Amino acid sequence: MKKICFLFVLSGLFSFQLQAQFRDSENILQRLIWDDTMLNIFIDTRIDLQAGFMDGKYDELGFDGKTIKLLFTGEVVPGIRYRIRHNLNKSQAAFPREGYSGAIDHAWLQFDAGTHWTFTVGKQSVQIGTFENDYNPADVYLASMVYMDFDGYKTGVNAAYKFNKQIINLQVVNSDTPQFASEEYKNKALAFNAMWQGDLFNELIRTRWGYGIFQHSNKRFYNWLTLGTQLNIEKFTTEIDYYLGNRNIDYGAIVYNTDLGYRYVEDQSVSLNLKYNFGKWRPFVKGTWNKRHDKRFDMTAYESWGIQAVAEFYPFTNKYTKDLRFHAAYMYSNTDFKGSFSQLDNSDTHTILVGTRWLFKAK
């Protein structure tokens, strides 16, 4: 009889424990559903009607889904945040070393340690400098060569130190892309980045200056210098960005040589962006210059330059539709082949597009 009573009491306690756990889980679920501090869901989409002309010939016409992303972000408790950004129109292929698919840009946790330090752990943006690199890809039309080719999201840890409106980022991430790591060393290669996010004279001048070291092998590293400086005068903004670094790139499609393979190159890019904010209308003009020097051939393969004119229109002020925009852009680029490729004619590309982009809060 005592044993039966003991089992009855034990089962009652177990049932009470399960109910308490269920209530706790239910409370957490309810908080996630209803509390915007803990869970915010955004959908980011952009679609364009695009026409292209290459070397004077009509090359393309059609609708292009540039972006469709899901963003989950929130603060679990004060000082602990998370962010997940998933591309629905990007390859879902998995990267075994990192444990994430190629469609995941961000999957990180962030912790504040006091008033000065913040630590970010997980898949995150690589901390290279420049303002161009800090833009959401849906807001980039004509990009520099380095921006287009750079793998900007890797798994690792970042430590940010904040003082007097300045932020110093120190980051260690994987460096396993063919651009940087050798095939034999890709499972143990790392990248080390440092970046200064500066705020001078109450945001009159802002900086994103960075330096990165990307491991190729146990004895070889590729170095990158990235400098971004922004000038803000009332509603007018000027941004100038500079990239310089070494990597391995297969640029055969550009020089019409499919047998070229990966080459050791030194790349440079410069971009100048001029923007004015009229409120609902936000026009800007941007110019780019790029140079690719093939270090194995010991010659410049080509130089290119481009210019764009863009007008963005934000017609709504409602909090749910304020980030819905319409845009029109014209872009021109020219490639001048050098060295062993100097027999190729210069390449000219004209692109015209109109489209819409909406970043909206679904929850």
Side-chain angles (χ1 to χ4, degrees), residues 189-217:
L190 297 173
F192 308 88
N193 301 293
M195 185 177 67
W196 169 41
Q197 293 175 252
D199 178 350
L200 306 174
F201 313 112
N202 292 321
E203 296 190 356
L204 175 66
I205 298 175
R206 297 174 62 217
T207 66
R208 287 180 57 85
W209 294 3
Y211 182 74
I213 301 174
F214 295 80
Q215 198 167 15
H216 177 72
S217 64

mmCIF file of all heavy atoms in Angstrom, residues 189-217:
data_model
loop_
_atom_site.group_PDB
_atom_site.id
_atom_site.type_symbol
_atom_site.label_atom_id
_atom_site.label_comp_id
_atom_site.label_asym_id
_atom_site.label_seq_id
_atom_site.Cartn_x
_atom_site.Cartn_y
_atom_site.Cartn_z
ATOM 1 N N ALA A 189 41.551 27.031 -43.010
ATOM 2 C CA ALA A 189 41.958 28.411 -43.277
ATOM 3 C C ALA A 189 41.019 29.393 -42.575
ATOM 4 O O ALA A 189 39.804 29.189 -42.512
ATOM 5 C CB ALA A 189 41.957 28.677 -44.781
ATOM 6 N N LEU A 190 41.579 30.478 -42.049
ATOM 7 C CA LEU A 190 40.820 31.512 -41.359
ATOM 8 C C LEU A 190 41.142 32.880 -41.951
ATOM 9 O O LEU A 190 42.159 33.057 -42.631
ATOM 10 C CB LEU A 190 41.140 31.510 -39.857
ATOM 11 C CG LEU A 190 40.777 30.245 -39.075
ATOM 12 C CD1 LEU A 190 41.316 30.335 -37.654
ATOM 13 C CD2 LEU A 190 39.265 30.042 -39.047
ATOM 14 N N ALA A 191 40.271 33.839 -41.681
ATOM 15 C CA ALA A 191 40.499 35.229 -42.063
ATOM 16 C C ALA A 191 40.427 36.094 -40.813
ATOM 17 O O ALA A 191 39.623 35.842 -39.911
ATOM 18 C CB ALA A 191 39.469 35.691 -43.084
ATOM 19 N N PHE A 192 41.280 37.130 -40.777
ATOM 20 C CA PHE A 192 41.364 38.037 -39.632
ATOM 21 C C PHE A 192 41.129 39.452 -40.150
ATOM 22 O O PHE A 192 41.861 39.932 -41.021
ATOM 23 C CB PHE A 192 42.737 37.928 -38.963
ATOM 24 C CG PHE A 192 43.126 36.514 -38.625
ATOM 25 C CD1 PHE A 192 43.777 35.710 -39.549
ATOM 26 C CD2 PHE A 192 42.823 35.975 -37.376
ATOM 27 C CE1 PHE A 192 44.128 34.400 -39.245
ATOM 28 C CE2 PHE A 192 43.172 34.671 -37.060
ATOM 29 C CZ PHE A 192 43.820 33.875 -37.990
ATOM 30 N N ASN A 193 40.087 40.110 -39.620
ATOM 31 C CA ASN A 193 39.689 41.428 -40.108
ATOM 32 C C ASN A 193 39.601 42.433 -38.974
ATOM 33 O O ASN A 193 39.194 42.093 -37.854
ATOM 34 C CB ASN A 193 38.318 41.346 -40.797
ATOM 35 C CG ASN A 193 38.314 40.382 -41.960
ATOM 36 O OD1 ASN A 193 38.959 40.618 -42.968
ATOM 37 N ND2 ASN A 193 37.588 39.277 -41.824
ATOM 38 N N ALA A 194 39.977 43.662 -39.295
ATOM 39 C CA ALA A 194 39.830 44.772 -38.353
ATOM 40 C C ALA A 194 39.204 45.937 -39.110
ATOM 41 O O ALA A 194 39.584 46.215 -40.255
ATOM 42 C CB ALA A 194 41.179 45.180 -37.777
ATOM 43 N N MET A 195 38.227 46.599 -38.495
ATOM 44 C CA MET A 195 37.556 47.711 -39.165
ATOM 45 C C MET A 195 37.205 48.803 -38.167
ATOM 46 O O MET A 195 36.731 48.526 -37.054
ATOM 47 C CB MET A 195 36.285 47.242 -39.880
ATOM 48 C CG MET A 195 35.630 48.364 -40.697
ATOM 49 S SD MET A 195 34.184 47.831 -41.637
ATOM 50 C CE MET A 195 33.049 47.441 -40.323
ATOM 51 N N TRP A 196 37.439 50.055 -38.602
ATOM 52 C CA TRP A 196 37.077 51.227 -37.808
ATOM 53 C C TRP A 196 35.834 51.848 -38.415
ATOM 54 O O TRP A 196 35.847 52.322 -39.547
ATOM 55 C CB TRP A 196 38.232 52.231 -37.796
ATOM 56 C CG TRP A 196 37.865 53.574 -37.222
ATOM 57 C CD1 TRP A 196 37.091 53.826 -36.135
ATOM 58 C CD2 TRP A 196 38.265 54.863 -37.732
ATOM 59 N NE1 TRP A 196 36.981 55.188 -35.923
ATOM 60 C CE2 TRP A 196 37.688 55.840 -36.880
ATOM 61 C CE3 TRP A 196 39.054 55.268 -38.806
ATOM 62 C CZ2 TRP A 196 37.876 57.207 -37.093
ATOM 63 C CZ3 TRP A 196 39.245 56.625 -39.012
ATOM 64 C CH2 TRP A 196 38.665 57.582 -38.160
ATOM 65 N N GLN A 197 34.733 51.846 -37.638
ATOM 66 C CA GLN A 197 33.524 52.568 -38.005
ATOM 67 C C GLN A 197 33.555 53.895 -37.249
ATOM 68 O O GLN A 197 33.276 53.950 -36.052
ATOM 69 C CB GLN A 197 32.279 51.769 -37.618
ATOM 70 C CG GLN A 197 32.087 50.482 -38.385
ATOM 71 C CD GLN A 197 30.904 49.693 -37.866
ATOM 72 O OE1 GLN A 197 31.066 48.662 -37.232
ATOM 73 N NE2 GLN A 197 29.697 50.163 -38.137
ATOM 74 N N GLY A 198 33.900 54.951 -37.971
ATOM 75 C CA GLY A 198 34.118 56.233 -37.321
ATOM 76 C C GLY A 198 32.961 57.198 -37.468
ATOM 77 O O GLY A 198 32.220 57.165 -38.459
ATOM 78 N N ASP A 199 32.814 58.046 -36.489
ATOM 79 C CA ASP A 199 31.822 59.126 -36.499
ATOM 80 C C ASP A 199 32.542 60.379 -36.013
ATOM 81 O O ASP A 199 32.893 60.497 -34.842
ATOM 82 C CB ASP A 199 30.649 58.768 -35.591
ATOM 83 C CG ASP A 199 29.596 59.882 -35.523
ATOM 84 O OD1 ASP A 199 29.857 60.990 -36.028
ATOM 85 O OD2 ASP A 199 28.525 59.638 -34.948
ATOM 86 N N LEU A 200 32.787 61.315 -36.951
ATOM 87 C CA LEU A 200 33.546 62.515 -36.634
ATOM 88 C C LEU A 200 32.682 63.749 -36.850
ATOM 89 O O LEU A 200 31.951 63.838 -37.848
ATOM 90 C CB LEU A 200 34.801 62.600 -37.518
ATOM 91 C CG LEU A 200 35.724 61.366 -37.501
ATOM 92 C CD1 LEU A 200 36.841 61.528 -38.523
ATOM 93 C CD2 LEU A 200 36.290 61.120 -36.115
ATOM 94 N N PHE A 201 32.746 64.672 -35.905
ATOM 95 C CA PHE A 201 32.039 65.955 -36.002
ATOM 96 C C PHE A 201 30.527 65.748 -36.168
ATOM 97 O O PHE A 201 29.897 66.314 -37.065
ATOM 98 C CB PHE A 201 32.598 66.796 -37.142
ATOM 99 C CG PHE A 201 34.091 66.880 -37.185
ATOM 100 C CD1 PHE A 201 34.809 66.277 -38.212
ATOM 101 C CD2 PHE A 201 34.796 67.528 -36.174
ATOM 102 C CE1 PHE A 201 36.190 66.332 -38.240
ATOM 103 C CE2 PHE A 201 36.178 67.583 -36.204
ATOM 104 C CZ PHE A 201 36.877 66.988 -37.231
ATOM 105 N N ASN A 202 29.946 64.884 -35.286
ATOM 106 C CA ASN A 202 28.500 64.639 -35.294
ATOM 107 C C ASN A 202 28.001 64.173 -36.661
ATOM 108 O O ASN A 202 27.049 64.731 -37.232
ATOM 109 C CB ASN A 202 27.737 65.882 -34.847
ATOM 110 C CG ASN A 202 27.967 66.207 -33.385
ATOM 111 O OD1 ASN A 202 28.034 65.312 -32.545
ATOM 112 N ND2 ASN A 202 28.116 67.488 -33.076
ATOM 113 N N GLU A 203 28.648 63.146 -37.176
ATOM 114 C CA GLU A 203 28.292 62.476 -38.431
ATOM 115 C C GLU A 203 28.543 63.326 -39.670
ATOM 116 O O GLU A 203 28.086 62.966 -40.769
ATOM 117 C CB GLU A 203 26.836 61.987 -38.421
ATOM 118 C CG GLU A 203 26.570 60.918 -37.378
ATOM 119 C CD GLU A 203 25.205 60.275 -37.533
ATOM 120 O OE1 GLU A 203 24.431 60.717 -38.405
ATOM 121 O OE2 GLU A 203 24.914 59.328 -36.778
ATOM 122 N N LEU A 204 29.271 64.429 -39.545
ATOM 123 C CA LEU A 204 29.689 65.144 -40.748
ATOM 124 C C LEU A 204 30.562 64.234 -41.605
ATOM 125 O O LEU A 204 30.408 64.175 -42.835
ATOM 126 C CB LEU A 204 30.462 66.416 -40.372
ATOM 127 C CG LEU A 204 31.062 67.202 -41.544
ATOM 128 C CD1 LEU A 204 29.965 67.781 -42.428
ATOM 129 C CD2 LEU A 204 31.994 68.311 -41.038
ATOM 130 N N ILE A 205 31.473 63.518 -40.958
ATOM 131 C CA ILE A 205 32.329 62.543 -41.637
ATOM 132 C C ILE A 205 32.167 61.202 -40.934
ATOM 133 O O ILE A 205 32.258 61.117 -39.710
ATOM 134 C CB ILE A 205 33.810 62.973 -41.607
ATOM 135 C CG1 ILE A 205 33.992 64.296 -42.361
ATOM 136 C CG2 ILE A 205 34.701 61.879 -42.211
ATOM 137 C CD1 ILE A 205 35.392 64.854 -42.276
ATOM 138 N N ARG A 206 31.917 60.172 -41.714
ATOM 139 C CA ARG A 206 31.852 58.817 -41.184
ATOM 140 C C ARG A 206 32.843 57.948 -41.948
ATOM 141 O O ARG A 206 33.132 58.209 -43.131
ATOM 142 C CB ARG A 206 30.436 58.236 -41.306
ATOM 143 C CG ARG A 206 29.402 59.006 -40.502
ATOM 144 C CD ARG A 206 28.000 58.486 -40.766
ATOM 145 N NE ARG A 206 27.890 57.095 -40.347
ATOM 146 C CZ ARG A 206 27.175 56.175 -41.001
ATOM 147 N NH1 ARG A 206 26.530 56.500 -42.112
ATOM 148 N NH2 ARG A 206 27.109 54.942 -40.541
ATOM 149 N N THR A 207 33.374 56.947 -41.284
ATOM 150 C CA THR A 207 34.383 56.087 -41.904
ATOM 151 C C THR A 207 34.004 54.620 -41.762
ATOM 152 O O THR A 207 33.348 54.217 -40.801
ATOM 153 C CB THR A 207 35.772 56.289 -41.277
ATOM 154 O OG1 THR A 207 35.736 55.844 -39.909
ATOM 155 C CG2 THR A 207 36.196 57.740 -41.314
ATOM 156 N N ARG A 208 34.466 53.829 -42.736
ATOM 157 C CA ARG A 208 34.466 52.370 -42.680
ATOM 158 C C ARG A 208 35.786 51.912 -43.297
ATOM 159 O O ARG A 208 35.849 51.541 -44.462
ATOM 160 C CB ARG A 208 33.263 51.775 -43.425
ATOM 161 C CG ARG A 208 31.928 51.956 -42.696
ATOM 162 C CD ARG A 208 30.772 51.344 -43.475
ATOM 163 N NE ARG A 208 30.989 49.934 -43.742
ATOM 164 C CZ ARG A 208 30.678 48.949 -42.897
ATOM 165 N NH1 ARG A 208 30.126 49.235 -41.719
ATOM 166 N NH2 ARG A 208 30.888 47.700 -43.218
ATOM 167 N N TRP A 209 36.839 51.987 -42.494
ATOM 168 C CA TRP A 209 38.181 51.633 -42.928
ATOM 169 C C TRP A 209 38.538 50.260 -42.389
ATOM 170 O O TRP A 209 38.383 50.006 -41.184
ATOM 171 C CB TRP A 209 39.203 52.652 -42.415
ATOM 172 C CG TRP A 209 39.035 54.034 -43.008
ATOM 173 C CD1 TRP A 209 38.068 54.457 -43.867
ATOM 174 C CD2 TRP A 209 39.878 55.161 -42.768
ATOM 175 N NE1 TRP A 209 38.240 55.787 -44.181
ATOM 176 C CE2 TRP A 209 39.351 56.244 -43.518
ATOM 177 C CE3 TRP A 209 41.015 55.374 -41.992
ATOM 178 C CZ2 TRP A 209 39.925 57.506 -43.513
ATOM 179 C CZ3 TRP A 209 41.584 56.639 -41.987
ATOM 180 C CH2 TRP A 209 41.052 57.680 -42.745
ATOM 181 N N GLY A 210 39.011 49.377 -43.262
ATOM 182 C CA GLY A 210 39.285 48.011 -42.831
ATOM 183 C C GLY A 210 40.567 47.452 -43.395
ATOM 184 O O GLY A 210 41.098 47.927 -44.406
ATOM 185 N N TYR A 211 41.063 46.428 -42.717
ATOM 186 C CA TYR A 211 42.220 45.668 -43.192
ATOM 187 C C TYR A 211 41.976 44.198 -42.881
ATOM 188 O O TYR A 211 41.597 43.854 -41.747
ATOM 189 C CB TYR A 211 43.518 46.138 -42.520
ATOM 190 C CG TYR A 211 44.746 45.405 -43.018
ATOM 191 C CD1 TYR A 211 45.271 45.680 -44.278
ATOM 192 C CD2 TYR A 211 45.353 44.419 -42.245
ATOM 193 C CE1 TYR A 211 46.389 45.008 -44.747
ATOM 194 C CE2 TYR A 211 46.476 43.740 -42.709
ATOM 195 C CZ TYR A 211 46.982 44.039 -43.962
ATOM 196 O OH TYR A 211 48.075 43.353 -44.430
ATOM 197 N N GLY A 212 42.154 43.322 -43.880
ATOM 198 C CA GLY A 212 41.889 41.902 -43.699
ATOM 199 C C GLY A 212 43.042 41.038 -44.164
ATOM 200 O O GLY A 212 43.740 41.372 -45.134
ATOM 201 N N ILE A 213 43.245 39.921 -43.473
ATOM 202 C CA ILE A 213 44.254 38.929 -43.834
ATOM 203 C C ILE A 213 43.531 37.604 -44.025
ATOM 204 O O ILE A 213 42.917 37.079 -43.081
ATOM 205 C CB ILE A 213 45.330 38.787 -42.738
ATOM 206 C CG1 ILE A 213 46.030 40.125 -42.510
ATOM 207 C CG2 ILE A 213 46.349 37.723 -43.110
ATOM 208 C CD1 ILE A 213 46.993 40.103 -41.337
ATOM 209 N N PHE A 214 43.587 37.051 -45.246
ATOM 210 C CA PHE A 214 42.879 35.828 -45.582
ATOM 211 C C PHE A 214 43.888 34.712 -45.833
ATOM 212 O O PHE A 214 44.784 34.840 -46.676
ATOM 213 C CB PHE A 214 42.003 36.045 -46.819
ATOM 214 C CG PHE A 214 40.891 37.036 -46.598
ATOM 215 C CD1 PHE A 214 41.137 38.398 -46.636
ATOM 216 C CD2 PHE A 214 39.605 36.597 -46.331
ATOM 217 C CE1 PHE A 214 40.126 39.312 -46.418
ATOM 218 C CE2 PHE A 214 38.573 37.504 -46.117
ATOM 219 C CZ PHE A 214 38.834 38.866 -46.155
ATOM 220 N N GLN A 215 43.732 33.626 -45.111
ATOM 221 C CA GLN A 215 44.704 32.540 -45.144
ATOM 222 C C GLN A 215 44.541 31.702 -46.414
ATOM 223 O O GLN A 215 43.451 31.234 -46.737
ATOM 224 C CB GLN A 215 44.524 31.667 -43.903
ATOM 225 C CG GLN A 215 45.700 30.776 -43.584
ATOM 226 C CD GLN A 215 45.572 30.183 -42.188
ATOM 227 O OE1 GLN A 215 44.505 30.206 -41.585
ATOM 228 N NE2 GLN A 215 46.662 29.643 -41.680
ATOM 229 N N HIS A 216 45.649 31.520 -47.123
ATOM 230 C CA HIS A 216 45.667 30.662 -48.315
ATOM 231 C C HIS A 216 46.250 29.284 -47.995
ATOM 232 O O HIS A 216 45.745 28.266 -48.437
ATOM 233 C CB HIS A 216 46.482 31.334 -49.423
ATOM 234 C CG HIS A 216 46.611 30.493 -50.661
ATOM 235 N ND1 HIS A 216 45.555 30.268 -51.514
ATOM 236 C CD2 HIS A 216 47.676 29.804 -51.181
ATOM 237 C CE1 HIS A 216 45.953 29.491 -52.515
ATOM 238 N NE2 HIS A 216 47.225 29.194 -52.331
ATOM 239 N N SER A 217 47.325 29.275 -47.223
ATOM 240 C CA SER A 217 47.980 28.038 -46.796
ATOM 241 C C SER A 217 48.666 28.323 -45.467
ATOM 242 O O SER A 217 48.497 29.396 -44.887
ATOM 243 C CB SER A 217 48.985 27.567 -47.850
ATOM 244 O OG SER A 217 50.037 28.517 -47.976
#
